[in-house]
Amino acid sequence: MKTIEEYYILAKTLFLEACPEIKSAISALTEADAARAGITLPQLQALQTDRAWAAWTRERKLDGMLFAIQLAEPDKAVAAEAIEAYLRSHAEALGMSWEAFCIKNEL
């Protein structure tokens, strides 16, 4: 099973491959664009990729991380394990027990 970060990176790559117009616009960014933003070109490209991914998932009312796992993990059993691990970490970050989290979110 990959880490949450690995799923997220892979999903964004798949997203860009499925959206060539977005990929092209991000590739067209220049050093001058990055300098105006006060960051490096790779940082600007990563930032714009994250923004495009977030906008796309928000528009479709998707949880970006859950969707990333579903998109990037072809093995459904492994995807289910990864999703549960992500949700458990989310519950922990909220200071909730797993049981309370499941009840609150109707899982």
Side-chain angles (χ1 to χ4, degrees):
M1 183 168 60
K2 298 170 188 66
T3 66
I4 296 298
E5 293 79 13
E6 290 169 328
Y7 282 121
Y8 186 67
I9 291 166
L10 182 54
K12 287 188 304 180
T13 300
L14 294 169
F15 165 72
L16 288 178
E17 293 303 318
C19 300
E21 67 287 350
I22 295 172
K23 183 178 181 179
S24 176
I26 291 171
S27 295
L29 292 168
T30 66
E31 290 288 346
D33 296 326
R36 279 191 295 279
I39 57 179
T40 66
L41 182 56
Q43 288 172 323
L44 180 60
Q45 290 171 326
L47 177 64
Q48 295 298 13
T49 299
D50 286 341
R51 285 178 172 171
W53 169 262
W56 190 87
T57 56
R58 188 174 43 252
E59 182 179 292
R60 287 156 183 79
K61 299 182 175 150
L62 299 169
D63 179 302
M65 291 309 304
L66 294 179
F67 186 65
I69 295 167
Q70 292 169 331
L71 182 63
E73 181 54 68
D75 185 320
K76 298 302 177 199
V78 174
E81 288 177 36
I83 288 169
E84 182 177 335
Y86 167 70
L87 292 174
R88 282 183 181 273
S89 70
H90 194 66
E92 184 179 323
L94 292 171
M96 298 177 74
S97 70
W98 177 239
E99 295 75 21
F101 182 85
C102 288
I103 291 167
K104 181 179 188 294
N105 291 286
E106 300 177 0
L107 300 177

